[in-house]
Coordinates of all heavy atoms in Angstrom, one line a residue:
V220 N -21.9 -15.1 21.3 CA -23.1 -14.9 20.7 C -23.2 -15.7 19.4 O -24.3 -16.3 19.2 CB -23.3 -13.3 20.3 CG1 -24.4 -13.2 19.3 CG2 -23.4 -12.5 21.5
L345 N 10.8 21.1 10.9 CA 12.1 20.5 11.1 C 12.1 19.0 10.7 O 13.1 18.6 10.0 CB 12.5 20.5 12.7 CG 12.8 22.0 13.2 CD1 12.8 21.9 14.7 CD2 14.1 22.5 12.6
L432 N 12.1 7.5 16.4 CA 11.7 8.2 17.6 C 12.7 9.2 18.0 O 12.3 10.3 18.4 CB 11.5 7.2 18.8 CG 10.9 7.8 20.0 CD1 9.8 6.8 20.6 CD2 11.9 8.1 21.1
N463 N 22.7 11.8 10.7 CA 23.6 10.9 10.2 C 24.1 10.0 11.3 O 24.8 10.4 12.2 CB 24.8 11.6 9.5 CG 25.8 10.6 8.8 OD1 25.4 9.5 8.5 ND2 27.1 11.1 8.7
M467 N 23.2 14.5 15.0 CA 22.3 15.4 14.4 C 22.9 16.9 14.3 O 23.7 17.3 15.3 CB 21.0 15.6 15.2 CG 20.2 14.3 15.2 SD 18.8 14.3 16.4 CE 19.7 14.1 17.9

Side-chain angles (χ1 to χ4, degrees):
V220 170
L345 293 167
L432 188 141
N463 183 23
M467 292 171 285

